[in-house]
Amino acid sequence: MKKPDILIYLSDQHSPIFSGWGAVPVETPNLDRLREDGTNFTESYTSCPLCVPARMSMLSAKLPSRTGVYSNFDTLADTTPTFLHPFVAAGYETVLIGRMHFIGQDQRHGFTKRLVGDITPVTWNRPGEALARERGVFKDCFMDTCCTDVIGGGESPVLHYDETVVETALEYLSQEHEKPQLIVVGTYGPHYPYVAPKELYLKYLKRVTVPDSFETDMPMNRLLEKKKKDRSFDAEGARQAIAAYCGMIEHMDGQIGRIRAAFNDYSKCSNQTSIFCYLSDHGDQVGENRFYGKQTFFEKSAKIPFLFAGDGIGSARSVDAPVSIMDLGPTMCELAGVDFPVETDGISLAKVLTGDEEPDYKRSIISQFMAGDLNERSYGIMVRKDQFKYITYHGYENEDMLFDLARDSNEKTNLNHRMPELSSELRNIALTFADPKQQERSFMEHWQMHKWMMAWEKETGMNDGERWSKNPATARDLPEVR
């Protein structure tokens, strides 16, 4: 069997609700073309609405309850197989260009080479002074609590980092390579800071409006209310953040177009079949229900784009059966004829992509998250089945949420008490995946491990070599337009 070249473009924090086909229109001609050329899974979800847990889950095809990774201060054990390992065994070169959010000594987890480091810390200890020096006014804007401190149009560390990643990927694709390629191009946009190129920011500032839910709060779980309690919210600031977010997405779309064109040229020159995939790790609320960033199970936070195109893959198809980010690895393995004989929570969608199998519309899709703070951690789980979404947090079960997404895509009406039998059914499904108390104990054990690793790293030395640190001085000041 001829081995296909594979390129996965992995962005950070892109909700597909903001796109050419989404409820919030953004001009994304290259992603629109990818949809026309391939298959779009319209009901795709992250397995955790947070960067590191989602990415480690994606690579291992296992839920966070099985990896034990629930925070951004954690990582996979280096002996945990990712779907990259069997590709290496099958003769592939597995290449990471840019972001993956690995923490600690193992910056590969199955990649055979890395061409650009990460924009965020790669060590257990944060290099605070270096980050402040390199990022300038943006030093705190990478955190959700401060993400709206700087909004506008101009330069930012994210825009410069992503351009470095893209240019490096284009250079790599212009070269000949002996082995079949599995390449992951990892960019950081449209993750905040909310700063887009000036022209795009001004363009969307004229178009966007504040979400209705920004002014009319829906009654919700007390844990979620706590997230908003200490934040100040401004409607005009929300509109500006949405404009910047949309501008960043259109800017990213142009980069995706450049990468896809170069990858197609590379595959033609090497006379190889090829597969191209675009996805993100989670979404962004961008002011919805007065939340910014992720860490909720609401649609804008939990849904992800998931598009495939290439040899043998059906074109101009939209599949609305629910699927998971964990399906990426098993799918790529089957499409490439690579064995991945480990127990996974993700499944292969290969036969759906080739038209040899109907999608499973009855499948339950799971997302997990550890909410609260260190003094009170609460295991949360989302179950998406049919058109319904059920959300529950341990200790707050009397505040569970149930939404009918077919009739209520904006999740304004909680049906939990109106449909008790369905809530009970979905609650029972949730309990089959993990014991909440055990998950909370596991989280605290991993947090203790994190503190020990910090102490060990301070004693033995911190290797910060794979962190991108070349943000120019021009991208450390306030953006030109605010």
Side-chain angles (χ1 to χ4, degrees), residues 78-253:
D78 58 11
T79 54
T80 298
T82 69
F83 75 86
L84 301 161
H85 289 105
F87 270 94
V88 176
Y92 272 79
E93 196 158 30
T94 53
V95 185
L96 174 59
I97 307 175
R99 177 163 178 75
M100 189 54 75
H101 214 154
F102 291 139
I103 305 294
Q105 287 187 309
D106 188 353
Q107 291 290 310
R108 296 294 180 271
H109 290 281
F111 287 103
T112 55
K113 64 170 62 173
R114 186 184 206 171
L115 303 184
V116 179
D118 215 315
I119 189 172
T120 50
V122 298
T123 49
W124 298 105
N125 293 279
R126 290 182 62 83
E129 292 183 6
L131 291 173
R133 183 171 59 252
E134 295 159 15
R135 295 177 177 179
V137 298
F138 296 100
K139 67 181 178 69
D140 296 325
C141 297
F142 287 71
M143 301 181 292
D144 65 345
T145 52
C146 304
C147 66
T148 56
D149 287 359
V150 178
I151 303 173
E155 293 185 63
S156 81
V158 172
L159 296 177
H160 279 280
Y161 173 76
D162 286 355
E163 191 60 28
T164 297
V165 170
V166 168
E167 289 296 335
T168 303
L170 294 174
E171 174 63 25
Y172 186 77
L173 289 168
S174 72
Q175 304 164 4
E176 293 184 6
H177 303 287
E178 183 179 343
K179 292 184 176 182
Q181 300 288 305
L182 190 160
I183 303 166
V184 176
V185 177
T187 54
Y188 196 69
H191 193 295
Y192 44 67
Y194 294 119
V195 175
K198 175 183 173 182
E199 296 78 10
L200 292 174
Y201 174 67
L202 292 173
K203 171 182 175 177
Y204 285 100
L205 197 59
K206 297 175 182 177
R207 299 185 180 185
V208 300
T209 57
V210 178
D212 292 340
S213 64
F214 192 86
E215 299 296 347
T216 56
D217 279 359
M218 180 193 76
M220 64 182 69
N221 181 289
R222 280 172 291 160
L223 279 173
L224 299 177
E225 292 291 351
K226 287 179 184 177
K227 280 178 63 67
K228 298 187 290 185
K229 188 176 180 181
D230 299 325
R231 296 281 302 273
S232 59
F233 298 94
D234 172 69
E236 179 58 21
R239 192 175 72 88
Q240 292 170 347
I242 294 169
Y245 186 67
C246 291
M248 292 171 76
I249 292 169
E250 182 173 337
H251 179 68
M252 176 192 68
D253 180 81

Side-chain angles (χ1 to χ4, degrees), residues 1-5 92 270-273 335-337:
M1 177 180 176
K2 198 170 186 180
K3 297 173 181 174
D5 288 321
Y92 272 79
S270 60
N271 195 29
Q272 291 282 95
T273 56
L335 287 172

